[in-house]
Amino acid sequence: TFQESAPSVVTGNVIIGSKVSESGAQGSHGAFIVNDALLAQAVSAAESAATTFAGLTPTASVQSQFPSNGSISGNLTINLVPGVQNVVDLSSFTLDNGSNTLTFNGPAGTSLVINIAGNFNMHTGNIAVSGGMGALDVVYNITKPTASVTTMVPTTGVGILLAPDNNINSMDSSTFAG
């Protein structure tokens, strides 16, 4: 079952399998596309990418800029190594910083993979990119199949949320572009 709480926003189309009910859709989104073969191909590609990303070595200078517990509670800018793929390993990720913003800064050609071994929770706050990076230059790779993956309250995020084995709960005015 595809479920969301209005007024959540999914930018783009939603690909679902033929056994999925879309009756729980309440927010804004593109078309529902029922295509089992395309969905199987996407799942295979996502699982392969998740495995590859999980095996990458962290970038020490970027890893040291994150709080050790993965909890962001105020304005924070993470300056990335320009022009390369940056990698961070976190035990969990929690964005609970009111109206503050977590910003990933790097010029075009810079990317960031955040491997998250536990829960991913965006409670309040914003995630942005600057310096030339785009929304698709950030990947949040959830590596634990039983982890909670939640976006809620008035949050905005950018990036690719890669959680092929997890339920994703998007609630209460959350917006995620990527």
Side-chain angles (χ1 to χ4, degrees):
T1 300
F2 180 92
Q3 293 181 312
E4 63 183 325
S5 300
S8 293
V9 176
V10 176
T11 55
N13 296 331
V14 180
I15 300 168
I16 60 174
S18 59
K19 295 180 182 178
V20 173
S21 168
E22 60 193 69
S23 63
Q26 298 179 25
S28 172
H29 47 75
F32 279 96
I33 299 171
V34 178
N35 187 324
D36 290 328
L38 183 59
L39 184 60
Q41 180 182 5
V43 168
S44 178
E47 289 172 342
S48 178
T51 299
T52 299
F53 290 147
L56 298 174
T57 302
T59 308
S61 63
V62 178
Q63 180 82 42
S64 66
Q65 295 177 61
F66 279 86
S68 61
N69 65 358
S71 183
I72 314 298
S73 58
N75 279 324
L76 177 63
T77 297
I78 304 292
N79 292 303
L80 303 174
V81 177
V84 301
Q85 183 177 57
N86 295 258
V87 179
V88 173
D89 287 345
L90 298 177
S91 59
S92 64
F93 179 91
T94 301
L95 182 69
D96 195 10
N97 64 352
S99 61
N100 295 322
T101 301
L102 168 63
T103 304
F104 301 122
N105 181 47
T110 304
S111 63
L112 174 63
V113 173
I114 305 173
N115 289 310
I116 304 165
N119 296 335
F120 175 95
N121 293 304
M122 286 179 54
H123 294 172
T124 61
N126 306 292
I127 301 174
V129 290
S130 66
M133 291 180 66
L136 299 179
D137 293 326
V138 179
V139 175
Y140 308 90
N141 184 31
I142 314 305
T143 61
K144 182 178 179 183
T146 59
S148 167
V149 180
T150 305
T151 65
M152 60 186 293
V153 190
T155 59
T156 59
V158 295
I160 297 167
L161 186 53
L162 183 57
D165 297 314
N166 304 82
N167 291 325
I168 299 175
N169 301 304
S170 175
M171 303 180 285
D172 304 331
S173 303
S174 65
T175 301
F176 207 91

